[in-house]
Amino acid sequence: MSDIREWPRIAVVGAGAVGGYFGGMFARAGAPTVFIGRKHFADAVSSKGLVLDKLHGQERITATATVEMSAVRDCSLILFCVKANDTLATATQMASFVRPDATVVCLQNGVDNADQVRAAANVAAVPAAVYVAVSVPEPGRVKHLARGDLIIGPPSERTTHLADLFGRAGIQCRVSDNIEGELWVKLLRNCALNAISALGHVRYGEIARNADAKQLMTRIVDEVLAVARAARVVLPGVHDRESGMAAAMELATQMSDALSSTAQDLNRGRQTEIDALNGYIARRGTELGVPVPVNHALFTLVKLAEQKAVIS
């Protein structure tokens, strides 16, 4: 990865909506990219290519896809896109194949994925706050609705080089000197919107237009900020209820047509990432002695809905 004009070999671990989009952007730009995902996704991409369905039209990209984790062996850049709940297990599975000089970029929800990957795989892991509205309406087709940018950090030669690589693939990438705070800003937005979208069966724009939903969001934001203060985390540009609500409403407006990933998971009968979102705030609140009844309630309700969806 020393020469920006030469693409590294790239593996997308957990190829689905997010991995399909970002990996697809790299493949589209000419980077040698292998997608590692579920059998139906791998079969569709192997037989028909990956379809990027963007606002300006569809593009079919010839790509390599497999279900075998061993495909990461020759890759120096790994886009790690599994659900947050699967981070530790997948990183452990990947550990015996990953190159010692590889870089893993965690394109996931939650704030502690990179720490888990480092511990399990003994590899350089870079956290990323990812902003993209994307779905997989059918195997092998990735539908992009809004945004598609990310923030990584902390500043270093490695992250500077990564930002250049992402930029070369047409992906806006910023390096932050407070990546922990950026991850918490994303967490705050997810906590304020995802569970409401899932339980209310509504898109972000509908939440933004509903007065009662916004009142509920203020309670969520207050609790997240209280936990952040107790944990001594500084959120860039977010320091009180007003700025926290502004951050959440900005995302709801930018991605107004999007269903939260939590809602999409429930609709498909899959396990959600609520443990890493409102559930994380509930756990940290308990550890730090901060009352978080609204986040705990939303976490509990989504877990109950998740159990019913998965069973059915």
Side-chain angles (χ1 to χ4, degrees), residues 5 14 20 22 28 31-32 59 64 71 75 79 114 123 126 160 163 166 183 192 196 207 225 233 237 256 263 270 274:
R5 302 315 307 167
F22 287 105
R28 177 175 177 267
E59 185 173 355
T64 302
C75 298
L79 306 184
V123 67
V126 174
T160 298
F166 278 104
L183 292 171
I196 298 175
I207 298 172
L225 291 179
V233 178
S256 61
R270 294 179 182 170
I274 201 67

Side-chain angles (χ1 to χ4, degrees), residues 50-68:
L50 176 70
V51 176
L52 276 184
D53 188 354
K54 303 184 74 174
L55 297 177
H56 53 71
Q58 288 189 7
E59 185 173 355
R60 190 177 299 274
I61 301 162
T62 301
T64 302
T66 180
V67 298
E68 300 297 332

